[in-house]
């Protein structure tokens, strides 16, 4: 999905939100707040889904805490909450059409331009 | 679902995460981190789902920013990601069996005892 970002702490191998220091929690979600602002302007959206699958039993498949940020528009999914099924599937590898590295690099560059204008 | 919490900023009528100050964002997600710790101990869980439906187009139905925290266990839902369908339905009123006010007050009191032991 275009604009689907992961916001990830720089410190590596931190499995859970609980393993982050207070400063890192604050920094992570301030980065989420900034990422939302940029994606919503860039994709002309009025909402975002912000989600952490915090632990294996919550559906996390990567052993490092990360926050999903997805720009949302009215009617972007036939059923508004189909997004969660897509989110659940996205890293499972089944029938997922990944964007190419090039496409993602281009998107990141374009979003960075939007960010530079805003901040 | 037992242990399903909403973490809510004290300042009222704040529609979006973007409307929170940096201090409020930090405080909100530090409260989430604490809420996760208590719920996971209280319900003997090893994971949590943390989710913000940030804006109407993201499925939010209450005009005040709130963070869902749900304790998760392996096998708690037949399909791990059915939780998102339940999350989507929970405030829509269709076929939802609400817990009574008394049940929720009792749960909150029991969880507070766990919190007092931990903190």
């Amino acid at each position: 999905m275009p604009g689907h970002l992961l916001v990830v702490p720089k410190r590596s191998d931190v499995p859970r939100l609980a393993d982050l220091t207070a400063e890192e929690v604050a920094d992570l979600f301030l980065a989420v707040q900034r990422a939302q602002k940029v994606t919503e302007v860039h994709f002309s959206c009025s909402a975002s889904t912000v989600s952490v699958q915090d632990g294996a039993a919550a559906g996390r498949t990567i052993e490092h805490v990360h926050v999903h940020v997805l720009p949302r528009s009215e009617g972007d999914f036939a059923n508004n909450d189909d997004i969660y099924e897509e989110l659940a599937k996205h890293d499972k590898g089944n029938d997922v059409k990944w964007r190419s590295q090039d496409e993602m690099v281009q998107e990141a560059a374009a979003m960075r331009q939007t960010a530079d204008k805003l901040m």
Side-chain angles (χ1 to χ4, degrees), chain A:
Chain A
M1 176 179 176
H4 178 175
L5 295 181
L6 301 185
V7 184
V8 184
K10 283 184 179 172
R11 181 158 66 92
S12 57
D13 300 322
V14 180
R16 299 287 315 274
L17 280 176
D19 301 317
L20 294 173
T21 67
E23 289 73 16
E24 288 170 332
V25 168
D27 192 46
L28 180 63
F29 286 96
L30 288 169
V32 166
Q33 197 188 36
R34 288 196 298 275
Q36 287 183 278
K37 183 173 178 181
V38 173
T39 54
E40 291 184 22
V41 169
H42 192 78
F43 292 97
S44 302
C45 290
S46 60
S48 307
T49 295
V50 174
S51 192
V52 187
Q53 304 188 132
D54 194 26
R60 183 202 59 189
T61 55
I62 301 164
E63 284 275 324
H64 184 53
V65 65
H66 54 282
V67 184
H68 295 271
V69 177
L70 300 102
R72 302 293 308 275
S73 302
E74 292 294 343
D76 53 359
F77 288 85
N79 177 325
N80 187 58
D81 300 299
D82 289 350
I83 190 173
Y84 292 117
E85 277 188 52
E86 296 301 320
L87 186 59
K89 284 194 305 194
H90 91 286
D91 53 0
K92 301 290 196 300
N94 305 322
D95 303 324
V96 174
K97 186 186 168 295
W98 294 91
R99 283 175 290 161
S100 72
Q101 187 74 10
D102 275 357
E103 285 172 306
M104 290 191 285
V105 166
Q106 284 174 24
E107 181 175 282
M111 291 179 73
R112 194 174 297 274
Q113 287 191 324
T114 301
D116 288 343
K117 280 181 212 154
L118 287 171
M119 290 168 191

